[in-house]
Amino acid sequence: MTTHVHSGEPRLDLRTAAPKAAKALYAADQAILTSPLDPTIRELVKLRTSQINHCVHCIDLHSHDALEQGESLNRIIQLSAWRESALFTPAERAALEYTEAATTLTPHGVSDEVWAGVRDLMTDEELGALVVQVALMNAFNRVGVPLQMPAQPRN
C-alpha cells in the first residue's frame, strides 16, 4: 500500500480551478452553521467523517475548530473509538452511528436501525441538517484527499 505524505501545496487550487463550484460548496457549509443541528454534534460529525476518509487537512482543521469551540481534548482523542468511550451522549452516539453508516455506505445504504436511532432523537430540521452535513463533509473529503491538501502549518 502506498502512503502519501502531504506537505507543501495541494495538487490543485479548487477555488481558482472551479470557482463557482467551490463557492457553492462553501456556501452550503455556511448554511449548515445556521441550522438547528447542535454545534457540538456538527463538529464531531465533521471530524469523524474526515477520520474515516483519511483527510489529513480536514482532520487537522476540524480538530482545531472543535477545540476552539470548547470541545475537550479527551473527547477528540477518543472520537475514533466513540463506541467504547463513556464520553459521548446518546444524541452524539446516534449522530456518529449515522455518520459512519452514511460515510461507509454498504450496498444496503443506511439501515433502518441506524436511521431510527437518529430519528428518535432529532427533529426533522436537525436530522435534515445532519444528513446534509455528513454528505457535505464527504464531498469536502473527496476534494481534500485527491488534491492531497496538507494539514495547515501551526506553531
Side-chain angles (χ1 to χ4, degrees):
M1 182 173 174
T2 304
T3 58
H4 299 282
V5 177
H6 308 294
S7 59
E9 297 297 316
R11 289 175 165 168
L12 181 73
D13 180 348
L14 194 64
R15 290 179 191 211
T16 302
K20 288 182 183 178
K23 186 176 180 180
L25 277 173
Y26 291 110
D29 191 50
Q30 288 300 305
I32 297 296
L33 293 177
T34 61
S35 77
L37 184 62
D38 179 86
T40 300
I41 289 175
R42 184 183 66 236
E43 291 307 315
L44 291 173
V45 162
K46 287 179 177 183
L47 182 51
R48 186 65 190 127
T49 303
S50 300
Q51 289 173 337
I52 293 166
N53 291 325
H54 304 275
C55 184
V56 69
H57 175 81
C58 294
I59 291 168
D60 178 76
L61 174 67
H62 297 297
S63 293
H64 286 278
D65 284 353
L67 286 168
E68 288 171 10
Q69 293 174 24
E71 186 56 79
S72 77
L73 181 58
N74 286 335
R75 283 171 36 103
I76 291 173
I77 290 169
Q78 293 183 25
L79 183 58
S80 64
W82 63 268
R83 284 180 181 85
E84 293 76 26
S85 173
L87 300 180
F88 299 93
T89 69
E92 291 166 348
R93 290 175 175 283
L96 290 166
E97 186 77 42
Y98 172 81
T99 298
E100 291 187 3
T103 298
T104 59
L105 286 173
T106 69
H108 305 289
V110 175
S111 73
D112 290 341
E113 180 183 22
V114 170
W115 184 256
V118 286
R119 171 77 273 165
D120 290 345
L121 296 171
M122 294 185 176
T123 66
D124 283 352
E125 292 79 14
E126 291 167 325
L127 188 50
L130 176 67
V131 169
V132 172
Q133 181 64 81
V134 171
L136 185 59
M137 200 63 235
N138 274 287
F140 278 120
N141 291 164
R142 279 152 180 80
V143 169
V145 172
L147 296 184
Q148 296 184 357
M149 293 176 65
Q152 189 166 347
R154 300 183 192 276
N155 295 333

